[in-house]
Each structure stands twice: as C-alpha cells, then as structure tokens.
C-alpha cells in the first residue's frame, strides 16, 4: 500500500500497522457500543450482538473498507436461547460495509442485503467493487460508500 500501512482484522477490531516502523498505529474497534449496533440489526440494546470483520480493503487515498457480519452472541451456559451465528442470508441488517480513514474516523456505512463474496479496490484507487451471492456486482465510492452502480446477473441467458 502506498501509505506504508497494513490493516489486519482481529475479531471486531481492525488494527492499522506501520510497515516501515513495524508497530501498530491504531486499533479501530467496530464492536458495540463504539459502532451503532442498532444500525447493524442489534436493536437499541447492544448486548447479544457481536461484529466480525470478514474482509478488508485499502485505498491509496487513506480509506479502509471492512466487510462485517453482525452475529448473535451465544447466551451464557445454562441460559435459554439459540445458537450463535449470522442470520439468514436475506437479512438486510446482518451484512455491512464500514469505511473509515487511517486515523480511525468513520466515514461511511452501507447495509448489504447479502454477504459480499468478493471485495476489491482495484489498483488501490477510489472505487470499491463488491460481488454478492446472487451474482450482482456493486460499485461504491470508497471514500463514503455511496453506491455508484449495480449490475444484476442475466437470468436464463
């Protein structure tokens, strides 16, 4: 990456590392309450929801884009409840793109109807490309996650 920074996801934290100095620059927490759980489908109460980063992309403009899944946390032993894990694939609040600067400032969020199975910022530029389970391809502005264009697969082509 041109800025000499690498990003590593560790559960619900994204760590930005200096390649030249071999040290951590900052850790950006994506877990509740630091990042609006209600927007991730966890309701107004942040208990019982965890955020897991599944993919990261970096742009040379200083943006980090994370694909994250909001998952239910298992109840304590002996308590009733359901098994942990993400909701059904068609739940629009289970999958989210989060964009933040290398300084850790959140600059965009986009909810996804399905998990992104592909995530890339070609040539580390300013456009994010996501591919989805249904075959659709989305183009986003990396700086704020504004949706620029969507291609839908041709059915029975």
């Amino acid at each position: 990456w041109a800025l000499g920074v690498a990003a590593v996801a560790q559960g619900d934290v994204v760590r930005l590392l200096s390649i030249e100095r071999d040290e951590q620059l900052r850790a950006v927490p994506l877990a509740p309450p630091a990042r609006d759980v209600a927007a991730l489908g966890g309701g107004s109460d942040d208990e019982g929801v965890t955020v897991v980063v599944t993919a990261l992309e970096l742009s040379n403009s200083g943006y980090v884009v994370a694909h994250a899944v909001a998952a239910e946390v298992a109840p304590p032993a002996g308590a009733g409840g359901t098994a942990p894990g993400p909701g059904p694939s068609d739940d629009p609040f289970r999958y989210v793109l989060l964009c933040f600067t290398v300084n850790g400032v959140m600059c965009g969020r986009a909810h996804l109807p399905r998990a992104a199975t592909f995530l890339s910022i070609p040539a580390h530029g300013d456009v994010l490309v996501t591919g989805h389970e249904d075959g659709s391809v989305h183009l986003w502005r990396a700086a704020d996650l504004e949706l620029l264009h969507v291609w839908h697969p041709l059915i029975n082509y």
Side-chain angles (χ1 to χ4, degrees):
W1 193 32
L3 296 177
V5 176
V8 177
Q10 187 175 20
D12 58 2
V13 174
V14 174
R15 299 184 187 286
L16 299 175
L17 310 168
S18 170
I19 296 170
E20 295 172 359
R21 295 188 306 223
D22 193 25
E23 67 183 17
Q24 179 175 299
L25 299 174
R26 79 182 16 81
V28 180
L30 302 177
R35 302 291 181 226
D36 189 8
V37 175
L40 293 174
S44 59
D45 182 5
D46 62 4
E47 288 188 32
V49 175
T50 187
V51 178
V52 178
V53 176
T54 59
L56 287 171
E57 274 297 316
L58 309 167
S59 86
N60 285 340
S61 300
Y63 298 104
V64 179
V65 178
H67 177 264
V69 179
E72 297 297 321
V73 175
T82 60
S89 180
D90 58 353
D91 184 347
F93 297 106
R94 290 292 168 200
Y95 305 99
V96 65
L97 292 174
L98 302 168
C99 177
F100 50 92
T101 67
V102 292
N103 293 327
V105 177
M106 183 68 67
C107 54
R109 176 181 22 240
H111 298 285
L112 303 174
R114 284 160 207 77
T117 57
F118 177 80
L119 186 72
S120 178
I121 299 178
H124 299 289
D126 294 320
V127 176
L128 172 73
V129 180
T130 58
H132 299 270
E133 294 174 333
D134 64 352
S136 64
V137 176
H138 299 201
L139 297 179
W140 311 82
R141 184 171 36 231
D144 59 5
L145 298 179
E146 178 182 337
L147 184 60
L148 302 174
H149 190 74
V150 178
W151 282 288
H152 293 284
L154 298 173
I155 299 175
N156 297 327
Y157 178 66

